């Protein structure tokens, strides 16, 4: 699988010749799914001797890389479970896809694992969060050099988390938003696995493969996920197109995308009926990981929504924070606010009549909240008690 194609104009390229089309849109790998079928339960690629067939590598026939052993073999295979405790009274039925169980705690490991198994030599990325950590860790495990470019204002605590894997870590002064384009347009001596790079999208599509296989022979009515660059949305759309072509979904789920209202260029374009996304002047938001004012795959994300009959939702800051707390307290799942926009969007869509009680909705929670605790943690609920008073205190607490 070595051909790249433009979703918009259809032009094709050999892998390695380009990552974006001459028309300006991003490329993705062509995959022939005509002969693809769901793997047997518990099946595994012959050369995956480490973990069996419960990771993303069970879909090796539709991936542009061979299944590895070791760290990269652990990506994918994340839990999907129904969470009645957070469902609105009139539905829909919400199924949480918890990507925080990936090796470095986010969905980014899917794309990094496929990318690092396909390219040789140093790898790099432009990121100050989940993708930076993922590339640094995977490169360390593969004994490869990694180049991580972060923004000038990246907190020291986050830098320390990335630096433990010993990458070449650069805090970049200047227009950080242009760095993505710099790595696309210039030869920097490393293969950059950026947010919507073809190899990354190929790996990230496997989350939708897993969701749809769990529902087979039926399919969920909708898949809801946060959107930043548009790379993850592109991967989900690519998977649904491939599964539909293979005849493995009874119907194509609608794709719904969620953004923080303080930085929502894709949602703004959707509300205005546009097919092209324009950059915005974003405001600071707790949803740091999806705070992308100029998404490089924004147009492709809009196309995914249009083709599947979904929509794009802007989630207010307070609703996003409330949903982060609700997921932790009522569903037992700790996520970043950037992830909580997904189920907050489900709540908003249900209130607007978009979903009903019979609908099956899969919400992708893209990363773990355990990595990024609040800078000013609330400990007001912590009780001080003497050891001798424990029996009475516990009985009083649970009565």
């Amino acid at each position: 699988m070595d051909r790249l194609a433009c979703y918009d104009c259809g032009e094709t390229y050999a892998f390695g010749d380009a990552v974006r089309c001459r028309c300006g849109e991003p490329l993705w790998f062509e995959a022939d799914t005509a002969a693809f079928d769901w793997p047997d339960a518990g099946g595994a690629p012959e050369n995956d001797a480490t973990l069996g067939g419960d990771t993303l590598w069970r879909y090796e026939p539709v991936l542009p890389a061979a299944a590895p052993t070791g760290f990269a073999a652990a990506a994918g295979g994340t839990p999907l479970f129904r969470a009645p405790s957070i469902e609105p009274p009139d539905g829909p039925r919400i199924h949480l896809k918890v990507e925080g169980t990936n090796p470095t705690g986010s969905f980014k490991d899917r794309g990094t694992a496929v990318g690092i198994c396909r390219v040789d030599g140093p790898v790099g990325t432009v990121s100050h969060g989940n993708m930076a950590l993922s590339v640094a860790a995977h490169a360390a495990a593969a004994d490869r050099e990694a180049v991580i470019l972060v923004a000038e204002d990246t907190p020291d605590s986050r830098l320390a988390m990335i630096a433990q894997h010993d990458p070449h870590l650069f805090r970049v002064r200047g227009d950080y938003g242009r760095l993505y384009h710099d790595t696309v347009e210039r030869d920097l001596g490393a293969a950059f696995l950026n947010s919507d790079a073809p190899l990354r999208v190929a790996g990230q599509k496997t989350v939708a493969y897993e969701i749809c296989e769990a529902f087979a022979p039926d399919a969920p009515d909708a898949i809801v996920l946060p959107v930043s660059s548009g790379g993850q949305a592109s991967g989900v759309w690519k998977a649904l197109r491939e599964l539909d072509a293979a005849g493995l979904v009874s119907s194509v789920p609608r794709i719904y995308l969620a953004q923080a209202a303080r930085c929502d260029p894709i949602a703004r374009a959707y509300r205005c009926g546009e097919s092209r996304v324009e950059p915005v002047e974003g405001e600071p938001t707790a949803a740091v990981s999806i705070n992308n004012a100029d998404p490089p795959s924004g147009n492709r994300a809009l196309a995914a929504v249009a083709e599947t009959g979904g929509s794009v939702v802007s989630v207010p800051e307070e609703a996003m924070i409330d949903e982060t707390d609700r997921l932790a307290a009522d569903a037992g799942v700790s996520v970043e606010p950037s992830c909580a926009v997904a189920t907050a969007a489900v709540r908003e869509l249900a209130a607007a009549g978009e979903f009903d009680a019979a609908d099956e909705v899969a919400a992708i929670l893209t990363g773990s909240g355990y990595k990024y605790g609040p800078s000013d943690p609330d400990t007001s609920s912590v009780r001080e008690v003497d050891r001798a008073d424990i029996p009475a205190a516990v009985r009083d607490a649970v009565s």
Side-chain angles (χ1 to χ4, degrees):
M1 191 165 68
D2 288 318
R3 299 294 297 177
L4 301 177
C6 175
Y7 80 96
D8 195 27
C9 72
E11 188 163 354
T12 61
Y13 300 77
F15 174 64
D17 286 353
V19 295
R20 297 188 77 88
C21 182
R22 278 183 281 268
C23 74
E25 289 301 296
L27 303 173
W28 57 23
F29 278 93
E30 292 185 314
D32 182 5
T33 59
F36 179 75
D37 200 355
W38 296 124
D40 293 337
E46 290 182 3
N47 58 338
D48 182 1
T50 304
L51 291 168
D54 294 330
T55 69
L56 67 84
W57 298 103
R58 67 190 281 102
Y59 310 118
E60 182 182 359
V62 294
L63 294 175
T69 58
F71 191 70
T78 57
L80 176 70
F81 58 88
R82 187 181 169 200
S85 58
I86 64 164
E87 293 172 355
D90 297 323
R93 295 157 61 95
I94 299 176
H95 304 261
L96 302 178
K97 184 64 170 168
V98 183
E99 290 289 275
T101 62
N102 274 295
T104 70
S106 87
F107 76 103
K108 294 294 187 181
D109 286 329
R110 294 178 182 271
T112 305
V114 171
I116 207 156
C117 290
R118 178 60 192 265
V119 299
D120 297 319
V123 293
T125 198
V126 177
S127 167
H128 55 260
N130 288 319
M131 192 159 60
L133 182 60
S134 178
V135 171
H138 279 265
D143 195 23
R144 306 268 285 280
E145 291 186 277
V147 176
I148 310 296
L149 308 181
V150 306
E152 186 176 7
D153 60 354
T154 303
D156 289 344
S157 59
R158 188 167 292 192
L159 289 177
M161 193 183 306
I162 300 165
Q164 66 185 314
H165 297 297
D166 198 27
H168 302 291
L169 185 54
F170 296 91
R171 214 175 202 167
V172 182
R173 294 186 295 271
D175 186 356
Y176 186 72
R178 285 296 307 169
L179 274 179
Y180 165 91
H181 301 283
D182 291 342
T183 62
V184 170
E185 297 163 3
R186 301 178 183 179
D187 181 5
L188 302 183
F192 272 76
L193 302 174
N194 287 330
S195 57
D196 65 346
L199 284 168
R200 184 166 292 284
V201 171
Q204 289 169 185
K205 76 180 182 183
T206 58
V207 68
Y209 268 74
E210 290 177 14
I211 289 169
C212 290
E213 186 178 10
F215 279 87
D218 298 318
D221 296 286
I223 298 177
V224 185
L225 65 150
V227 62
S228 174
S229 70
Q232 172 79 332
S234 300
V236 169
W237 186 33
K238 188 69 165 64
L240 298 183
R241 289 163 63 111
E242 292 175 2
L243 293 172
D244 186 41
L248 293 177
V249 287
S250 56
S251 60
V252 176
R254 305 186 298 277
I255 294 176
Y256 293 89
L257 305 178
Q259 294 199 288
R262 291 184 177 178
C263 186
D264 63 346
I266 300 174
R268 290 189 197 187
Y270 174 80
R271 289 195 298 270
C272 295
E274 303 290 342
S275 61
R276 293 290 183 265
V277 177
E278 297 296 331
V280 300
E281 290 292 335
E283 301 176 43
T285 170
V288 176
S289 295
I290 58 171
N291 190 10
N292 193 327
D294 187 12
S297 277
N299 299 338
R300 190 162 59 178
L302 272 182
V305 166
E307 183 175 279
T308 61
S311 66
V312 190
V313 177
S314 290
V315 178
E317 200 77 1
E318 184 176 352
M320 176 177 61
I321 298 302
D322 288 347
E323 192 67 19
T324 305
D325 295 340
R326 180 181 290 110
L327 284 164
D330 295 345
V333 182
S334 175
V335 298
E336 301 176 59
S338 302
C339 308
V341 295
T343 50
V346 175
R347 202 170 300 282
E348 184 173 321
L349 290 162
E354 185 74 17
F355 298 136
D356 60 34
D359 283 329
E360 306 281 359
V361 175
I364 302 176
L365 303 180
T366 48
S368 170
Y370 293 119
K371 292 188 294 182
Y372 304 115
S375 57
D376 185 19
D378 179 10
T379 59
S380 60
S381 63
V382 179
R383 307 172 195 178
E384 301 287 343
V385 63
D386 291 331
R387 178 184 168 203
D389 295 332
I390 280 289
V394 171
R395 285 195 295 269
D396 181 61
V398 299
S399 61

